[in-house]
Amino acid sequence: MVSCLKCLELNSSSSMADQQRIHPVPDIESPPQTSPTAPLVPLGSTKSDLVNPVEQHQPIYSHVAPPMKRRRRSCCCCRCLCWTLSILLILIVIIGIIVGILFLVFRPKLPDYSIDGLEVTQLSLSSDSSLSASFHVNFTARNPNRRIGIYYEGGSHITVWYTGTQLCRGSIPKFYQGHRNTTVLVLPMSEQIQNGAGLLTALQQQQQQTGNIPLLLRARQPVRIKLGSLKLPEMKFSVRCWLVVDALSPNSSIRISSSNCSFRFRV
């Protein structure tokens, strides 16, 4: 009897639970769900096309040297530069020491030059109005050095000018000038000046008005210096002499009222 009552209670409780359960009601207005028919990947594309563009265009820095290698390169460049500068500095110091020793041993002095005489052998007009000029110039060279000799090489060029016009030209012969030597050279010079009538008239007027004529002598001479038994390579020097004479009359004594010469080496 008791068991029958329990069965009746269980049946009644299960029927009440079925009535309280909520069942979903389909929505009539919403469209029915269908399975997707289109492919997830578009046609004509691959998986690589779907890669994130940020990741796809990410720059590659594999060719850039690491910071440690760049530091090593900069250190090598600095070392090479320091070594080069050090070698140059050492060479400059060595050359300076050698030059200083040579200067103390030989005590070099510049040579001295002067114009001591001038003779006009010809200064006349030709039938074609050209001016023929011939001079003899007494050129004195002095070497004041005790241990240095001078070789005067060929290829010299010497000229005489009047107010920018060349009157005559010549050359210095080859010779060797020893220690503490004075050499006097008589240099023949000549020139043929076209249309020289105006120049001759200007010279005569200059002499009549002022009583003197200014002249300029220029000389360019290649030489070799001898230090003891050592011959240095060939170099060039130039001499300029400003002189004033009282006249330029042919076959007459000409007095030089002033003469001043300068000397310098040329590259």
Side-chain angles (χ1 to χ4, degrees):
M1 188 69 181
V2 175
S3 60
C4 289
L5 291 173
K6 289 181 177 182
C7 289
L8 290 174
E9 290 177 358
L10 291 172
N11 291 331
S12 61
S13 61
S14 61
S15 62
M16 291 178 66
D18 292 334
Q19 291 178 1
Q20 293 177 356
R21 185 177 298 173
I22 298 173
H23 297 280
V25 180
D27 190 0
I28 300 175
E29 294 180 357
S30 62
Q33 297 181 356
T34 58
S35 61
T37 58
L40 296 178
V41 179
L43 295 176
S45 62
T46 60
K47 291 183 179 181
S48 63
D49 295 333
L50 300 178
V51 179
N52 190 355
V54 177
E55 298 177 358
Q56 184 177 2
H57 298 285
Q58 186 176 3
I60 301 174
Y61 297 97
S62 60
H63 64 280
V64 179
M68 186 61 69
K69 291 185 178 180
R70 282 182 288 180
R71 291 178 182 175
R72 290 178 180 175
R73 290 178 184 175
S74 60
C75 291
C76 291
C77 293
C78 291
R79 289 177 183 175
C80 292
L81 182 60
C82 291
W83 275 107
T84 304
L85 293 177
S86 300
I87 293 172
L88 289 177
L89 183 60
I90 292 172
L91 289 177
I92 292 172
V93 172
I94 293 174
I95 293 174
I97 293 173
I98 294 174
V99 171
I101 294 173
L102 292 177
F103 183 84
L104 293 175
V105 172
F106 293 98
R107 300 284 182 177
K109 298 178 182 179
L110 293 177
D112 183 39
Y113 302 96
S114 64
I115 305 297
D116 299 326
L118 176 64
E119 181 184 359
V120 179
T121 58
Q122 184 180 7
L123 188 65
S124 60
L125 286 173
S126 302
S127 58
D128 58 353
S129 297
S130 62
L131 181 62
S132 298
S134 297
F135 294 178
H136 284 169
V137 178
N138 295 341
F139 185 77
T140 302
R142 298 178 181 87
N143 179 15
N145 295 281
R146 297 172 53 186
R147 300 178 180 178
I148 298 176
I150 303 175
Y151 286 92
Y152 288 81
E153 303 291 343
S156 64
H157 186 68
I158 183 170
T159 55
V160 175
W161 298 74
Y162 168 73
T163 62
T165 302
Q166 181 176 304
L167 293 179
C168 55
R169 59 182 173 177
S171 62
I172 300 175
K174 294 177 61 176
F175 70 99
Y176 171 72
Q177 189 173 31
H179 312 150
R180 290 187 172 181
N181 177 266
T182 298
T183 304
V184 179
L185 302 172
V186 179
L187 305 176
M189 306 176 68
S190 62
E191 184 65 273
Q192 191 79 17
I193 305 169
Q194 300 297 327
N195 300 322
L199 176 59
L200 182 60
T201 302
L203 287 171
Q204 293 173 351
Q205 290 178 355
Q206 177 80 28
Q207 180 181 354
Q208 292 174 0
Q209 293 175 3
T210 63
N212 55 55
I213 299 174
L215 299 176
L216 172 62
L217 184 142
R218 296 178 179 175
R220 296 180 179 179
Q221 175 67 46
V223 297
R224 295 185 67 181
I225 305 300
K226 183 181 179 182
L227 302 175
S229 59
L230 176 64
K231 269 188 180 183
L232 298 182
E234 184 178 292
M235 61 186 69
K236 294 181 180 181
F237 69 80
S238 63
V239 177
R240 287 191 177 190
C241 295
W242 292 267
L243 62 152
V244 179
V245 298
D246 60 348
L248 286 179
S249 301
N251 301 319
S252 62
S253 60
I254 298 175
R255 184 177 61 87
I256 299 176
S257 58
S258 66
S259 176
N260 182 24
C261 295
S262 65
F263 167 87
R264 67 174 181 176
F265 283 102
R266 299 177 63 248
V267 179

